[in-house]
Amino acid sequence: MPPSPKWAELAAHIRSQIDSGELSPGDKLPSTSQLCQIHGVSAIVVRNAMLTLKAEGLVVGVPGVGVYVAER
């Protein structure tokens, strides 16, 4: 089986943090540049992971402010 794309791995990691309660509704996620540094990935990888999590309703973006864990 081929390895998962990096964006899918990052999305799964953040999803598990949300599911475990490590990240709570209303918590602000690190910035794109911080996530790039923490996980050793490119900005495109972070963007695709965020798009996936937004589509799943797990996070919401506030333009110019950041990305937050969505209320459930």
Side-chain angles (χ1 to χ4, degrees):
M1 179 163 59
S4 298
K6 289 190 183 294
W7 63 264
E9 291 177 12
L10 179 58
H13 176 73
I14 295 170
R15 189 181 303 110
S16 71
Q17 289 180 306
I18 293 170
D19 290 342
S20 72
E22 186 177 339
L23 289 172
S24 301
D27 284 354
K28 185 176 182 181
L29 272 59
S31 68
T32 297
S33 61
Q34 289 171 324
L35 286 169
C36 289
Q37 278 189 315
I38 292 166
H39 297 282
V41 296
S42 70
I44 292 174
V45 169
V46 173
R47 183 175 77 77
N48 287 337
M50 290 303 116
L51 287 172
T52 299
L53 294 170
K54 287 176 186 176
E56 294 173 5
L58 294 175
V59 299
V60 292
V62 179
V65 179
V67 178
Y68 295 83
V69 177
E71 297 291 331
R72 293 204 171 189

